[in-house]
Amino acid sequence: MTIYEQDAKTLELPWPFTGREAELELVRRSSAAGRPGVVVTGPVGCGKTRLITEAVRGTDCARITGTPESRGLPFAAFAHLLPGTVSLHRAVQLLSGVRLLVVDDAHLLDEASAALVHQLAAHGSTRLVVAVTDGVPVPGAVSRLWTGELLPRVALEPLPREDTGRLLATAGLEPLTVGRLHRMCRGDLRLLRDLVAALRRSGGLTRVPECDEWAWRGPVPVTATVRDRLAPVLDRAGAGERETLDRLAFAEPLPLALDDLDLDVLERLEADGLIHVDDLGSVTLAHPLHGPALRATVGRLRSLRLTGAPDRCGPALAAERTALERGLARQDVRGVPTPVGDWLLSEGLPVPGGYAVVRARYSRLRGELREAAAWAREGLRAVPGDARCADELDLVTACLGGSTGGYGRAVAARGDIEGALAALPGDDVFACYDAVRLGRPELAAGRLPAGGVFARHAEALARGDGPALDLAAGALAERGFLLFAAEAHAQAVRAHRDPRAARLSRTRAVALARRCQGARTPALAGLVLGELTARQRQIVALAAAGLSNREIAGKLTLSVRTVGNHLYSAYTRLGASDRGALPWLADLREAEPA
C-alpha cells in the first residue's frame, strides 16, 4: 500500500478562468454593440455559464435563468423583469430597452419565456447571450435561435486535459491525480470542482513529501453531483441490468467476456450508451466514473461477493508493460491504453518498479515530464533505491532545467559534449539522439536507425535545413515525441532564411513546448521571451529579480493594475502559472538563441 503523509491543513483551491481563450473572444465579439449576440452550447458542466460570465464581465446586462421547477409557469424566468400578467407582444415591448440579456439554462425555459427570447432575437434591439446544454430536450423557440440563423452558435467541447491540468495547478495537485480526475470527469467542470471539494473536506488528498504536492489515492466520494451523474444509469437499469453493471464495475480494470453475460441485457445497456463492446468481444463500462461510483454505492456483502483479488491483474499489467516497451523499441510513443496501471495507482496499491520505470520513460519521451517524475517516484516508493527509477527521475530533472542524470551531465558540460555523451550507453538510440537535441548531430552520425525520424532530424540539423527540420518536427510529433518536436522546430528558427518561416517555426515550437509540463532544455532557450512584447519582457525581468508589482509600477511609471495586467498576459503567453517560473524565464535572456 502506498502511504503518504497526511496534512491537517485545509487545501484552498481557487478556480480561475482557464483555457477557452478563442471561445471567450468569440463570445465577446458576438455580444458587443452592433452584434445580435450568440448561443453557447455544450455538455453539462463544461463551463458555459463561467465562459459567459467572463465574457460579459463589467458590462451592464440583465440575466434570466431557466429552472426545472418553473417550466409550467408562463414567463416564469422573466418574473423579475416583467410586471404581473402580460402578453407576448407586451413583454417584447417592455424588454426592448434591454441592451444585453444573458439567458442561462435556456433548455429549461417555459414555452412562453422561450418564445419571448426568440422574439427578442428576431426584433433585433436586444443582444442575447444564451447558454444551452447539449443532449437534453430544448424548446423549439430556443433551438431555432441557431438553426434559424438568428444567432451564431459557439459549441463548447469538454475542457481538454492540458487546460484541466492548468486549472488544478493552483491547488498543487500532483500530475497523476490530475490525470485521474480528468479521466473521471471528462471535462465536466462541475463534477471536477465537486470531487476536489469533497476530497478536501474528507481528507482524501494527502501530501506527497518529495514534491510538496497533493495526491488522491482511494475511492471516489459519493457526492450529490456524483449521484446526479449516476442517477440516469440507475433509473434506466432493471434488476438484470444492475447486476450486469455491478459485475462490470467490480471487474475493473479488466473487461468481462461477452459470453459470460446475458446478451439481451447487454443489447439494452449498449443501446443506452452505458457499456462498450470491443472487436474482441470484451465488455467494459462506457464512462470511467460509473465503475468507481457503482462500487462506492454497493453494500458490504454484495461488494465482498463481487470483488476479485488484485493479483488477477498481474498478467494484464505485464501485457501493458510489453505494449509500452514495444512502442519504445519502435521509437513510437503514441498513446497506449493503460487501465491496469492507472487502476493500481488510483486504488493506492503498490506499482511494481519495473512497470513504473517504463511508464516514467514513456511519459518523459512524450513530453509529459511531471507525470514521468510522478511515476518514477511511485516506483521508488514500491522499491526504495531502485536505480532505474532514480535514473528516470534524474533525466526528468534535467529536462526541467536541472543538471543531473545522463542528459543532465551533457547539458551541464556545454563545453565538452563529446565527453559527456561518451559516458552514455553507446547502444541506446535515445541516448545517442541526445547529441542531436544538444545541437551536435555529427556526434550521432551512424548511430541512429537509418531512415528513421531521429536520423532525419540529425541530417536536417547538420545541413542547417529549416524546412527539413520542420518536417522532422512534424514526424516526431506524429509519433508522440512532443518535446523533441518542439526542439526541432526551435532549431529550425535559426536555420530558416525566410523570416516568415522562422516566425511560424517559433510559434509551433512554443505551442508544443507549452504541452510539455515545464520543459526547459537548451534547444528551447531563447524561444520563450521572444513571445512577449518589449514591455512584458521588461516587467518579467523586474518581477524575476524579486520586485513587487507596486515597486515595478514606481520604477516604470505605470499603474499597479497595468503591471498586473502585463504579468497576467505574460503568464498566459509563457504557459506559466505564477512568479515561481520567472527567474528561469529571465535567465533565458543570457541563454544561447535556439
Side-chain angles (χ1 to χ4, degrees):
M1 178 73 70
T2 302
I3 303 296
Y4 297 96
E5 175 190 353
Q6 180 70 46
D7 192 319
K9 293 188 297 183
T10 300
L11 175 64
E12 294 298 333
L13 178 60
W15 289 87
F17 183 81
T18 303
R20 312 285 199 203
E21 288 86 359
E23 295 91 340
L24 180 62
E25 184 59 27
L26 279 173
V27 175
R28 280 178 173 162
R29 285 206 308 265
S30 297
S31 58
R35 300 294 182 90
V38 66
V39 178
V40 179
T41 65
V44 63
C46 73
K48 299 181 292 296
T49 301
R50 182 63 191 276
L51 173 70
I52 290 172
T53 300
E54 199 70 24
V56 302
R57 187 181 300 281
T59 303
D60 186 22
C61 63
R63 294 173 180 266
I64 68 166
T65 302
T67 62
E69 297 78 12
S70 62
R71 295 187 76 168
L73 303 175
F75 299 122
F78 286 91
H80 61 297
L81 298 176
L82 296 174
T85 303
V86 294
S87 66
L88 177 60
H89 177 70
R90 180 60 178 155
V92 172
Q93 287 181 325
L94 291 171
L95 293 175
S96 61
V98 175
R99 294 305 174 201
L100 178 61
L101 177 66
V102 174
V103 184
D104 201 4
D105 287 338
H107 53 286
L108 296 177
L109 290 177
D110 60 273
E111 292 295 335
S113 294
L116 176 53
V117 169
H118 188 275
Q119 286 300 308
L120 289 171
H123 193 263
S125 62
T126 301
R127 302 192 305 279
L128 293 162
V129 181
V130 183
V132 181
T133 294
D134 287 339
V136 297
V138 179
V142 171
S143 63
R144 283 194 293 275
L145 290 173
W146 68 90
T147 60
E149 300 184 354
L150 282 174
L151 298 178
R153 177 188 179 194
V154 174
L156 289 190
E157 298 293 331
L159 196 69
R161 166 71 170 80
E162 291 146 15
D163 288 337
T164 301
R166 281 196 288 271
L167 181 65
L168 295 175
T170 52
L173 297 183
E174 56 99 32
L176 301 183
T177 295
V178 171
R180 182 184 181 190
L181 284 166
H182 179 71
R183 287 192 300 274
M184 194 161 293
C185 298
R186 288 186 170 180
D188 184 332
L189 298 178
R190 190 178 304 166
L191 176 60
L192 180 69
R193 182 168 186 164
D194 191 55
L195 282 177
V196 174
L199 291 168
R200 289 167 52 199
R201 290 193 302 268
S202 66
L205 290 172
T206 49
R207 185 73 79 175
V208 183
E210 298 91 340
C211 58
D212 198 32
E213 293 177 330
W214 297 86
W216 171 32
R217 305 289 187 267
V220 172
V222 184
T223 65
T225 306
V226 171
R227 290 192 185 95
D228 287 345
R229 299 298 185 269
L230 195 59
V233 179
L234 301 181
D235 290 346
R236 294 199 297 267
E241 285 88 350
R242 179 62 193 264
E243 172 68 21
T244 298
L245 290 171
D246 286 346
R247 286 183 62 190
L248 289 168
F250 279 91
E252 288 183 338
L254 305 179
L256 291 179
L258 190 66
D259 296 340
D260 295 339
L261 300 165
D262 186 304
L263 186 57
D264 291 336
V265 170
L266 290 179
E267 287 178 353
R268 292 195 292 273
L269 291 174
E270 187 177 33
D272 286 337
L274 299 178
I275 63 169
H276 173 71
V277 182
D278 67 19
D279 294 338
L280 301 177
S282 296
V283 186
T284 56
L285 293 171
H287 197 291
L289 173 67
H290 291 166
L294 287 168
R295 291 195 295 273
T297 56
V298 166
R300 181 177 296 275
L301 292 177
R302 186 171 175 79
S303 175
L304 290 172
R305 177 172 70 82
L306 293 171
T307 299
D311 58 8
R312 74 189 191 281
C313 294
L317 188 69
E320 274 186 13
R321 176 179 173 177
T322 298
L324 293 168
E325 289 173 332
R326 190 178 299 120
L328 293 172
R330 294 198 306 261
Q331 289 92 58
D332 188 332
V333 292
R334 280 173 279 202
V336 172
T338 52
V340 182
D342 294 337
W343 180 82
L344 285 177
L345 184 84
S346 65
E347 295 293 312
L349 298 169
V351 178
Y355 177 87
V357 74
V358 174
R359 281 296 294 267
R361 190 177 200 201
Y362 207 88
S363 297
R364 173 173 59 82
L365 294 172
R366 284 174 54 82
E368 298 163 349
L369 301 182
R370 295 182 65 241
E371 291 185 27
W375 278 110
R377 285 192 291 267
E378 287 295 323
L380 288 170
R381 265 189 284 278
V383 187
D386 187 303
R388 299 166 302 170
C389 289
D391 284 346
E392 277 300 322
L393 196 54
D394 285 347
L395 288 166
V396 174
T397 300
C399 290
L400 289 169
S403 58
T404 60
Y407 179 68
R409 288 193 297 273
V411 171
R414 292 283 188 95
D416 184 22
I417 295 178
E418 295 93 333
L421 292 174
L424 299 176
D427 59 347
D428 188 327
V429 170
F430 293 102
C432 296
Y433 180 62
D434 284 343
V436 183
R437 298 176 61 201
L438 290 167
R440 297 295 301 276
E442 71 278 5
L443 299 180
R447 301 172 69 184
L448 297 172
V453 64
F454 294 164
R456 296 204 301 274
H457 180 188
E459 291 161 3
L461 183 60
R463 297 194 308 269
D465 188 335
L469 281 167
D470 284 332
L471 287 174
L476 287 163
E478 185 180 348
R479 286 174 167 256
F481 296 109
L482 297 191
L483 176 56
F484 298 168
E487 292 174 333
H489 278 309
Q491 290 167 339
V493 174
R494 290 185 65 190
H496 279 300
R497 296 182 179 180
D498 181 350
R500 291 173 299 179
R503 285 195 296 270
L504 181 57
S505 295
R506 179 185 293 277
T507 299
R508 289 170 173 168
V510 170
L512 287 168
R514 284 178 182 166
R515 298 170 61 185
C516 294
Q517 302 179 350
R520 303 173 183 177
T521 67
L524 297 179
L527 278 178
V528 182
L529 290 180
E531 289 297 294
L532 304 182
T533 65
R535 176 65 84 183
Q536 287 169 348
R537 285 198 296 273
Q538 189 179 28
I539 290 174
V540 163
L542 293 172
L547 274 68
S548 68
N549 286 14
R550 188 169 298 280
E551 290 169 332
I552 296 171
K555 190 175 183 66
L556 301 180
T557 320
L558 299 170
S559 71
V560 175
R561 182 175 182 177
T562 297
V563 170
N565 288 339
H566 276 305
L567 278 175
Y568 179 80
S569 297
Y571 293 154
T572 301
R573 291 192 180 195
L574 300 172
S577 58
D578 53 36
R579 268 177 155 79
L582 295 184
W584 173 74
L585 295 173
D587 287 345
L588 288 183
R589 291 178 303 161
E590 309 302 327
E592 297 179 28

